[in-house]
mmCIF file with all atom_site columns, all heavy atoms in Angstrom:
data_model
loop_
_atom_site.group_PDB
_atom_site.id
_atom_site.type_symbol
_atom_site.label_atom_id
_atom_site.label_alt_id
_atom_site.label_comp_id
_atom_site.label_asym_id
_atom_site.label_entity_id
_atom_site.label_seq_id
_atom_site.pdbx_PDB_ins_code
_atom_site.Cartn_x
_atom_site.Cartn_y
_atom_site.Cartn_z
_atom_site.occupancy
_atom_site.B_iso_or_equiv
_atom_site.pdbx_formal_charge
_atom_site.auth_seq_id
_atom_site.auth_comp_id
_atom_site.auth_asym_id
_atom_site.auth_atom_id
_atom_site.pdbx_PDB_model_num
ATOM 1  N N   . ARG A 1 61  ? -63.035 -30.326 -93.072  1.00 47.00 ? 61  ARG A N   1
ATOM 2  C CA  . ARG A 1 61  ? -63.328 -31.020 -94.329  1.00 47.00 ? 61  ARG A CA  1
ATOM 3  C C   . ARG A 1 61  ? -63.878 -32.411 -94.067  1.00 47.00 ? 61  ARG A C   1
ATOM 4  O O   . ARG A 1 61  ? -64.860 -32.846 -94.668  1.00 47.00 ? 61  ARG A O   1
ATOM 5  C CB  . ARG A 1 61  ? -62.051 -31.112 -95.176  1.00 47.00 ? 61  ARG A CB  1
ATOM 6  C CG  . ARG A 1 61  ? -62.268 -31.778 -96.528  1.00 47.00 ? 61  ARG A CG  1
ATOM 7  C CD  . ARG A 1 61  ? -60.944 -31.917 -97.255  1.00 47.00 ? 61  ARG A CD  1
ATOM 8  N NE  . ARG A 1 61  ? -60.356 -30.622 -97.521  1.00 47.00 ? 61  ARG A NE  1
ATOM 9  C CZ  . ARG A 1 61  ? -60.598 -29.917 -98.614  1.00 47.00 ? 61  ARG A CZ  1
ATOM 10 N NH1 . ARG A 1 61  ? -61.430 -30.383 -99.524  1.00 47.00 ? 61  ARG A NH1 1
ATOM 11 N NH2 . ARG A 1 61  ? -60.010 -28.758 -98.803  1.00 47.00 ? 61  ARG A NH2 1
ATOM 12 N N   . THR A 1 96  ? -55.580 -43.652 -80.589  1.00 51.00 ? 96  THR A N   1
ATOM 13 C CA  . THR A 1 96  ? -54.123 -43.808 -80.610  1.00 51.00 ? 96  THR A CA  1
ATOM 14 C C   . THR A 1 96  ? -53.643 -44.720 -79.500  1.00 51.00 ? 96  THR A C   1
ATOM 15 O O   . THR A 1 96  ? -52.589 -45.346 -79.599  1.00 51.00 ? 96  THR A O   1
ATOM 16 C CB  . THR A 1 96  ? -53.449 -42.428 -80.469  1.00 51.00 ? 96  THR A CB  1
ATOM 17 O OG1 . THR A 1 96  ? -53.977 -41.791 -79.288  1.00 51.00 ? 96  THR A OG1 1
ATOM 18 C CG2 . THR A 1 96  ? -53.727 -41.560 -81.677  1.00 51.00 ? 96  THR A CG2 1
ATOM 19 N N   . GLU A 1 221 ? -68.299 -20.125 -137.261 1.00 68.00 ? 221 GLU A N   1
ATOM 20 C CA  . GLU A 1 221 ? -68.500 -19.181 -138.350 1.00 68.00 ? 221 GLU A CA  1
ATOM 21 C C   . GLU A 1 221 ? -69.175 -17.907 -137.846 1.00 68.00 ? 221 GLU A C   1
ATOM 22 O O   . GLU A 1 221 ? -68.811 -16.799 -138.251 1.00 68.00 ? 221 GLU A O   1
ATOM 23 C CB  . GLU A 1 221 ? -69.361 -19.820 -139.443 1.00 68.00 ? 221 GLU A CB  1
ATOM 24 C CG  . GLU A 1 221 ? -69.572 -18.935 -140.667 1.00 68.00 ? 221 GLU A CG  1
ATOM 25 C CD  . GLU A 1 221 ? -68.268 -18.638 -141.406 1.00 68.00 ? 221 GLU A CD  1
ATOM 26 O OE1 . GLU A 1 221 ? -67.327 -19.453 -141.294 1.00 68.00 ? 221 GLU A OE1 1
ATOM 27 O OE2 . GLU A 1 221 ? -68.191 -17.606 -142.083 1.00 68.00 ? 221 GLU A OE2 1
ATOM 28 N N   . LYS A 1 222 ? -70.128 -18.068 -136.921 1.00 64.00 ? 222 LYS A N   1
ATOM 29 C CA  . LYS A 1 222 ? -70.793 -16.898 -136.336 1.00 64.00 ? 222 LYS A CA  1
ATOM 30 C C   . LYS A 1 222 ? -69.796 -16.045 -135.558 1.00 64.00 ? 222 LYS A C   1
ATOM 31 O O   . LYS A 1 222 ? -69.833 -14.819 -135.584 1.00 64.00 ? 222 LYS A O   1
ATOM 32 C CB  . LYS A 1 222 ? -71.935 -17.347 -135.428 1.00 64.00 ? 222 LYS A CB  1
ATOM 33 C CG  . LYS A 1 222 ? -72.783 -16.204 -134.878 1.00 64.00 ? 222 LYS A CG  1
ATOM 34 C CD  . LYS A 1 222 ? -73.873 -16.740 -133.970 1.00 64.00 ? 222 LYS A CD  1
ATOM 35 C CE  . LYS A 1 222 ? -74.862 -17.590 -134.715 1.00 64.00 ? 222 LYS A CE  1
ATOM 36 N NZ  . LYS A 1 222 ? -76.007 -18.001 -133.846 1.00 64.00 ? 222 LYS A NZ  1
ATOM 37 N N   . LYS A 1 326 ? -84.444 -2.447  -116.909 1.00 97.00 ? 326 LYS A N   1
ATOM 38 C CA  . LYS A 1 326 ? -85.710 -2.032  -117.514 1.00 97.00 ? 326 LYS A CA  1
ATOM 39 C C   . LYS A 1 326 ? -85.500 -1.602  -118.969 1.00 97.00 ? 326 LYS A C   1
ATOM 40 O O   . LYS A 1 326 ? -86.367 -1.818  -119.823 1.00 97.00 ? 326 LYS A O   1
ATOM 41 C CB  . LYS A 1 326 ? -86.326 -0.876  -116.715 1.00 97.00 ? 326 LYS A CB  1
ATOM 42 C CG  . LYS A 1 326 ? -87.191 -1.316  -115.566 1.00 97.00 ? 326 LYS A CG  1
ATOM 43 C CD  . LYS A 1 326 ? -88.429 -2.081  -116.050 1.00 97.00 ? 326 LYS A CD  1
ATOM 44 C CE  . LYS A 1 326 ? -89.394 -2.386  -114.922 1.00 97.00 ? 326 LYS A CE  1
ATOM 45 N NZ  . LYS A 1 326 ? -90.567 -3.181  -115.403 1.00 97.00 ? 326 LYS A NZ  1
ATOM 46 N N   . GLY A 1 351 ? -87.616 2.868   -100.977 1.00 98.00 ? 351 GLY A N   1
ATOM 47 C CA  . GLY A 1 351 ? -88.217 3.942   -100.206 1.00 98.00 ? 351 GLY A CA  1
ATOM 48 C C   . GLY A 1 351 ? -87.940 5.307   -100.798 1.00 98.00 ? 351 GLY A C   1
ATOM 49 O O   . GLY A 1 351 ? -88.822 6.181   -100.839 1.00 98.00 ? 351 GLY A O   1
ATOM 50 N N   . ASP A 1 356 ? -92.100 6.016   -108.049 1.00 97.00 ? 356 ASP A N   1
ATOM 51 C CA  . ASP A 1 356 ? -91.305 5.944   -109.274 1.00 97.00 ? 356 ASP A CA  1
ATOM 52 C C   . ASP A 1 356 ? -90.350 4.751   -109.297 1.00 97.00 ? 356 ASP A C   1
ATOM 53 O O   . ASP A 1 356 ? -89.496 4.656   -110.188 1.00 97.00 ? 356 ASP A O   1
ATOM 54 C CB  . ASP A 1 356 ? -90.485 7.233   -109.431 1.00 97.00 ? 356 ASP A CB  1
ATOM 55 C CG  . ASP A 1 356 ? -91.371 8.460   -109.559 1.00 97.00 ? 356 ASP A CG  1
ATOM 56 O OD1 . ASP A 1 356 ? -92.448 8.352   -110.184 1.00 97.00 ? 356 ASP A OD1 1
ATOM 57 O OD2 . ASP A 1 356 ? -91.000 9.526   -109.030 1.00 97.00 ? 356 ASP A OD2 1
ATOM 58 N N   . LYS A 1 389 ? -65.525 -9.259  -86.141  1.00 95.00 ? 389 LYS A N   1
ATOM 59 C CA  . LYS A 1 389 ? -64.145 -9.453  -86.573  1.00 95.00 ? 389 LYS A CA  1
ATOM 60 C C   . LYS A 1 389 ? -64.081 -10.154 -87.921  1.00 95.00 ? 389 LYS A C   1
ATOM 61 O O   . LYS A 1 389 ? -63.274 -9.796  -88.791  1.00 95.00 ? 389 LYS A O   1
ATOM 62 C CB  . LYS A 1 389 ? -63.383 -10.264 -85.521  1.00 95.00 ? 389 LYS A CB  1
ATOM 63 C CG  . LYS A 1 389 ? -61.913 -10.470 -85.854  1.00 95.00 ? 389 LYS A CG  1
ATOM 64 C CD  . LYS A 1 389 ? -61.194 -11.240 -84.746  1.00 95.00 ? 389 LYS A CD  1
ATOM 65 C CE  . LYS A 1 389 ? -59.716 -11.435 -85.093  1.00 95.00 ? 389 LYS A CE  1
ATOM 66 N NZ  . LYS A 1 389 ? -59.003 -12.175 -84.021  1.00 95.00 ? 389 LYS A NZ  1
ATOM 67 N N   . ARG A 1 457 ? -93.454 1.821   -102.077 1.00 98.00 ? 457 ARG A N   1
ATOM 68 C CA  . ARG A 1 457 ? -94.748 1.785   -102.748 1.00 98.00 ? 457 ARG A CA  1
ATOM 69 C C   . ARG A 1 457 ? -94.885 0.618   -103.721 1.00 98.00 ? 457 ARG A C   1
ATOM 70 O O   . ARG A 1 457 ? -95.766 0.622   -104.585 1.00 98.00 ? 457 ARG A O   1
ATOM 71 C CB  . ARG A 1 457 ? -94.977 3.102   -103.497 1.00 98.00 ? 457 ARG A CB  1
ATOM 72 C CG  . ARG A 1 457 ? -95.162 4.301   -102.562 1.00 98.00 ? 457 ARG A CG  1
ATOM 73 C CD  . ARG A 1 457 ? -96.419 4.146   -101.710 1.00 98.00 ? 457 ARG A CD  1
ATOM 74 N NE  . ARG A 1 457 ? -96.604 5.229   -100.756 1.00 98.00 ? 457 ARG A NE  1
ATOM 75 C CZ  . ARG A 1 457 ? -96.181 5.219   -99.498  1.00 98.00 ? 457 ARG A CZ  1
ATOM 76 N NH1 . ARG A 1 457 ? -95.546 4.142   -99.025  1.00 98.00 ? 457 ARG A NH1 1
ATOM 77 N NH2 . ARG A 1 457 ? -96.396 6.241   -98.708  1.00 98.00 ? 457 ARG A NH2 1
ATOM 78 N N   . ILE A 1 481 ? -93.658 -0.494  -90.637  1.00 97.00 ? 481 ILE A N   1
ATOM 79 C CA  . ILE A 1 481 ? -94.195 -1.586  -91.446  1.00 97.00 ? 481 ILE A CA  1
ATOM 80 C C   . ILE A 1 481 ? -95.713 -1.648  -91.326  1.00 97.00 ? 481 ILE A C   1
ATOM 81 O O   . ILE A 1 481 ? -96.429 -1.846  -92.318  1.00 97.00 ? 481 ILE A O   1
ATOM 82 C CB  . ILE A 1 481 ? -93.547 -2.922  -91.029  1.00 97.00 ? 481 ILE A CB  1
ATOM 83 C CG1 . ILE A 1 481 ? -92.068 -2.934  -91.413  1.00 97.00 ? 481 ILE A CG1 1
ATOM 84 C CG2 . ILE A 1 481 ? -94.273 -4.109  -91.657  1.00 97.00 ? 481 ILE A CG2 1
ATOM 85 C CD1 . ILE A 1 481 ? -91.308 -4.149  -90.938  1.00 97.00 ? 481 ILE A CD1 1
#
Side-chain angles (χ1 to χ4, degrees):
R61 182 184 298 271
T96 54
E221 183 64 25
K222 186 181 295 186
K326 273 296 187 182
D356 298 324
K389 182 178 180 180
R457 292 296 177 267
I481 292 175

